[in-house]
Amino acid sequence: MSGRIALPAALLGALLAGLVVIGACALLLLFNFARATENLAVGGGIIAGIGTASAAPAPAAAGQADIPPLYLALYRQAGARFGLDWAVLAGIGRVECDHGRDPAPSCTVEGQLNPAGAGGPAQFLVSTWRRYGISATGQGTPDMWQPADAIFSMANYLRAAGAPGDYQQAIYAYNHAWWYVAEVIAWARRYRAEFAPTRGPAP
């Protein structure tokens, strides 16, 4: 009789243990799904999901004062997605088109290019855009005059050019001039005092 009682008890214990494991797995899947949904949010969700970049240092007072909120959120989002320092992205955005405030047509008018053939807030050459331009949401055709697409594509390009291992070489690849590298880094330092390049400019 004791054997007949022990068998159901063992089965019940195994069943309970299995339910605990299944429940834990379900919670883990729900957590990962929620994180993925936040990171892939469309439209305004790119901005609202700035919490995904919360581990990155907050901008200094100079950064908050100079960078428009929309652009600041996009720099931090793009930095978080590509594992880059958002302040470097902001430095490039400042030098190229003053975070979208430069009145030059190539910065603000869809389809307009500067004499070098570049356009949009990140001043991409058309040939470079075809290779590195991406949609910030992962949907639709990338548009280099849209701030979100331009900034995420900037991060994509820097990552392909060697950042974060060597920011200065990556910035130099973005624009082949050491004065440009120095200016971008100066703005990055102003926006986030903790920033320090991994390697100095070539002599």
Side-chain angles (χ1 to χ4, degrees):
M1 186 172 179
S2 60
R4 294 175 66 182
I5 295 174
L7 183 59
L11 288 174
L12 181 61
L15 179 61
L16 288 174
L19 289 174
V20 169
V21 172
I22 291 171
C25 290
L27 287 174
L28 183 61
L29 287 172
L30 285 172
F31 175 78
N32 287 335
F33 177 78
R35 291 290 301 275
T37 302
E38 180 181 20
N39 289 338
L40 295 174
V42 180
I46 296 174
I47 309 306
I50 194 168
T52 60
S54 60
Q64 295 183 25
D66 187 56
I67 305 172
L70 169 67
Y71 276 74
L72 178 58
L74 289 171
Y75 293 135
R76 298 187 72 194
Q77 281 279 320
R81 180 180 294 186
F82 287 90
L84 301 178
D85 190 320
W86 67 264
V88 175
L89 302 178
I92 292 175
R94 177 61 168 79
V95 175
E96 293 293 355
C97 280
D98 191 17
H99 313 303
R101 296 174 297 205
D102 191 320
S106 67
C107 288
T108 57
V109 180
E110 183 88 22
Q112 293 294 313
L113 302 174
N114 66 17
Q123 291 292 281
F124 269 94
L125 294 170
V126 174
S127 58
T128 308
W129 180 262
R130 287 175 182 155
R131 184 172 181 182
Y132 297 102
I134 61 172
S135 169
T137 64
Q139 300 179 358
T141 302
D143 183 346
M144 67 182 180
W145 279 273
Q146 292 299 318
D149 289 355
I151 290 169
F152 275 68
S153 298
M154 178 201 301
N156 184 40
Y157 183 89
L158 289 181
R159 183 81 188 193
D166 190 338
Y167 279 109
Q168 298 202 356
Q169 286 293 339
I171 298 167
Y172 183 81
Y174 199 89
N175 189 328
H176 299 318
W178 286 113
W179 66 261
Y180 178 88
V181 175
E183 192 170 347
V184 167
I185 290 175
W187 280 109
R189 286 195 175 114
R190 185 176 300 182
Y191 291 149
R192 183 171 84 73
E194 300 91 336
F195 172 72
T198 56
R199 210 175 284 179

